[in-house]
Amino acid sequence: MDGNGRWAERRGQPRLFGHHAGAKRVREVVEACPDLGVDYLTIFAFSTENWKRTQREVAGLMSLFRSYIKKEARALREHNVRVRFIGDRPGLDEKLRNLMDELEEYTAHCTGTNLTIAINYGGRDEVARATKRLACDVAQGKLDPQKIDEETLPRYLDTCVLPDPDLVIRTSGEARISNFLLWQSAYAEYEFIETLWPDFTNEIFAQVVRSYAGRERRYGGIAV
Ligand code: FPP
């Protein structure tokens, strides 16, 4: 969800104004998923690198996440949205962690769109944390190192219950992946679009999904 800062700066407003505008888009995009056939949506809200921002912006974002959870919980459940969070939770403050746990529990029975929110998330950090857990299982004799293969590590990732992404959309004209779902995106299709996140309408979302549907995915094989 890139481009909130520039969107605000272009309007002569503080960066947090852009993040608030971005948060409004989240609701619209989530509600568009069923019609577009999107069962799983993962949004990158705060990376392990975003702590480098000013204290004011970081505190504003954390407060926005707390108020988003409080304000949106009911609507999410009414829309049958199951919410999960990925990222390094111990690095977040207790109040936010509790709200995250509560929202996961509150929507656990929902069977519609699966919304995953990445907060304090970094792909490398996730792989490192997963490797630590895997190594503990080896040390405790629960896992035979000879049996480790491509299917093993994903079971230790934050995304262990989620499918790999088919499509990764990055807004705001930046053509890089910035530590997002590194392992899981091995065969994802990418769309880098110029639109800043607060201008990302459902029309644009539908266009990007349509364009994805026309792509041929070969997973290293050849066209049949
Ligand atoms: C990147 O744009 C965006 C963020 C670091 C924050 C994203 C957060 C939201 C959209 C808030 C809503 C999220 C939830 C879960 C309610 P940027 O600040 O890097 O923009 P820039 O590249 O133009 O500076």
Side-chain angles (χ1 to χ4, degrees):
M1 299 188 287
D2 202 6
N4 297 343
R6 275 164 286 170
W7 187 90
E9 278 156 22
R10 283 176 200 175
R11 285 160 180 78
Q13 298 286 343
R15 297 177 57 81
L16 276 169
F17 182 74
H19 296 315
H20 280 268
K24 288 195 189 118
R25 287 293 170 207
V26 173
R27 178 190 266 231
E28 292 167 24
V29 165
V30 171
E31 289 178 6
C33 286
D35 285 345
L36 294 175
V38 175
D39 295 332
Y40 290 84
L41 176 74
T42 302
I43 55 174
F44 202 176
F46 193 88
S47 76
T48 45
E49 289 72 38
N50 285 151
W51 297 107
K52 294 179 201 154
R53 298 186 175 209
T54 62
Q55 201 268 336
R56 184 193 177 93
E57 184 172 350
V58 169
L61 278 166
M62 295 300 150
S63 156
L64 177 58
F65 299 148
R66 288 193 299 269
S67 63
Y68 173 86
I69 294 173
K70 284 189 224 156
K71 271 200 227 139
E72 296 293 309
R74 187 177 294 202
L76 287 163
R77 190 154 91 161
E78 275 168 15
H79 282 89
N80 202 18
V81 177
R82 178 164 189 178
V83 183
R84 297 179 180 89
F85 292 91
I86 55 170
D88 184 30
R89 289 197 203 196
L92 295 168
D93 81 60
E94 200 185 342
K95 223 193 233 170
L96 177 57
R97 281 198 323 254
N98 290 341
L99 286 166
M100 289 158 64
D101 291 343
E102 279 163 30
L103 184 59
E104 283 184 333
E105 210 181 299
Y106 184 65
T107 61
H109 67 285
C110 294
T111 54
T113 306
N114 290 275
L115 171 66
T116 302
I117 306 178
I119 299 183
N120 198 21
Y121 175 84
R124 287 181 172 181
D125 177 68
E126 180 191 29
V127 170
R129 285 186 288 105
T131 308
K132 204 184 286 180
R133 287 196 290 268
L134 186 152
C136 285
D137 279 357
V138 169
Q140 289 170 18
K142 292 184 197 157
L143 180 67
D144 176 356
Q146 296 306 325
K147 292 205 173 124
I148 294 173
D149 61 17
E150 281 192 23
E151 313 293 322
T152 314
L153 186 71
R155 295 204 297 266
Y156 291 85
L157 294 172
D158 297 351
T159 52
C160 57
V161 297
L162 304 172
D164 285 344
D166 293 310
L167 170 65
V168 177
I169 307 168
R170 182 167 186 159
T171 53
S172 93
E174 311 285 2
R176 53 177 178 266
I177 58 171
S178 298
N179 215 359
F180 186 59
L181 298 178
L182 294 182
W183 173 282
Q184 300 88 336
S185 300
Y187 281 100
E189 298 289 326
Y190 281 87
E191 284 280 353
F192 297 104
I193 62 169
E194 294 296 322
T195 312
L196 303 177
W197 174 254
D199 292 329
F200 187 85
T201 58
N202 282 343
E203 223 160 81
I204 300 172
F205 189 21
Q207 261 170 30
V208 176
V209 171
R210 266 200 301 274
S211 142
Y212 159 79
R215 293 193 192 190
E216 181 186 49
R217 302 181 74 193
R218 294 195 295 275
Y219 300 94
I222 49 171
V224 285

